[in-house]
Amino acid sequence: MNAPLRTLRLAAVNIDGVLLNDTFSPVLHRLVVEWGGTYTADLERRMLSQPRSAVARLLAESTGVNATVQEVTQAYFALRERYMRDHPVRLLHGAVPLLERLAALGLDLVCYGGLEADHFYRHLGPETARFTAPGYVCTNECRPGIREIVEDSFGLRHDQVLFIDDAASFAVRARELDVPFIGHPSHYEHSFQPELMRAAGARHVAGSLDEIDEALVRRIDQEAGDGTVWQNAEPLVALGMGR
């Protein structure tokens, strides 16, 4: 029997972009371009993994569109609905095996994201039974939600929770809190997340979910116990990504 993990107790897995295909970045890009704006790495960095109201304000400011936060939000979700007709929400390849591997290592599982819990139940279906209560945490009002998940929902220490997320801005906050982290940036052709993830200093970035295997999780478990999960990363301020 394999030895139990030393430090990690919980794996917190982002829903959109990790378990499900990314249906947010493509729509953000389309909306910016349609409204006459320029989609840049800095704009993407400031929009992803942020509250909806903040994203709506950034969209309006960056494109010069004369619209309220509510109007921008409505326009965004209307465009997303149209986008999903040709690009329906689906489980990503390797999502279920990933959950199986994490659970086999003795980790509790929780899912999180910016949409309400019905999104989790609708698209993960029977796989929702794999997750520990509360199962899903909506982080729209508490982005990125690290403290809320680690402390409020599970009463754990920061070094006991492994987060898997697709947003570089999440990586920045995980680094600030010294939280174990694996990045899985979007493969969308206009996405800047791979380079932003590197700029954030993420030491573990997976191009596919299959890369998040037992050996990697055990390595991060060792690093978490030693307090070295973000060791030797470049200074964030030097990278222009400091808070």
Side-chain angles (χ1 to χ4, degrees), residues 119-136:
H119 180 63
F120 168 70
Y121 290 107
R122 182 187 314 121
H123 295 295
L124 267 71
E127 305 305 332
T128 60
R130 299 179 183 274
F131 295 85
T132 307
Y136 178 82

Side-chain angles (χ1 to χ4, degrees), residues 5 8 22 30 33 45 50 53-54 56 61 66 78 83 101 111 134 139 143 154 163 169 177 191 201 205 215 227 230:
L5 296 178
L8 296 175
D22 177 14
R30 287 190 182 189
V33 173
R45 175 183 65 81
Q50 300 299 321
S53 58
E61 292 169 5
N66 184 19
Y83 174 82
R101 289 194 297 275
C111 189
T139 56
R143 293 287 195 172
F154 289 92
F163 282 87
S169 57
L177 296 174
S191 175
V205 178
W230 290 93

Side-chain angles (χ1 to χ4, degrees), residues 73-181:
T73 301
Q74 290 173 342
Y76 169 82
F77 279 106
L79 179 56
R80 183 169 177 268
E81 285 296 320
R82 295 195 297 274
Y83 174 82
M84 290 191 300
R85 292 171 191 165
D86 296 322
H87 306 84
V89 176
R90 57 180 173 78
L91 275 171
L92 284 180
H93 172 76
V96 173
L98 170 63
L99 297 176
E100 292 173 342
R101 289 194 297 275
L102 295 171
L105 285 165
L107 292 171
D108 285 330
L109 301 173
V110 70
C111 189
Y112 66 93
L115 296 180
E116 300 302 324
D118 63 331
H119 180 63
F120 168 70
Y121 290 107
R122 182 187 314 121
H123 295 295
L124 267 71
E127 305 305 332
T128 60
R130 299 179 183 274
F131 295 85
T132 307
Y136 178 82
V137 178
C138 176
T139 56
N140 180 58
E141 299 299 329
C142 59
R143 293 287 195 172
I146 295 175
R147 291 187 187 276
E148 289 76 9
I149 292 171
V150 174
E151 300 174 15
D152 299 345
S153 295
F154 289 92
L156 295 171
R157 302 190 311 268
H158 286 179
D159 63 340
Q160 293 179 305
V161 183
L162 169 63
F163 282 87
I164 305 174
D165 201 283
D166 66 333
S169 57
F170 191 101
V172 171
R173 187 59 175 149
R175 177 178 173 172
E176 291 172 345
L177 296 174
D178 202 25
V179 168
F181 176 81

Side-chain angles (χ1 to χ4, degrees), residues 23-32 76 79-80 83 188:
T23 56
F24 287 88
S25 299
V27 177
L28 287 171
H29 175 265
R30 287 190 182 189
L31 202 55
V32 170
Y76 169 82
L79 179 56
R80 183 169 177 268
Y83 174 82
Y188 175 57

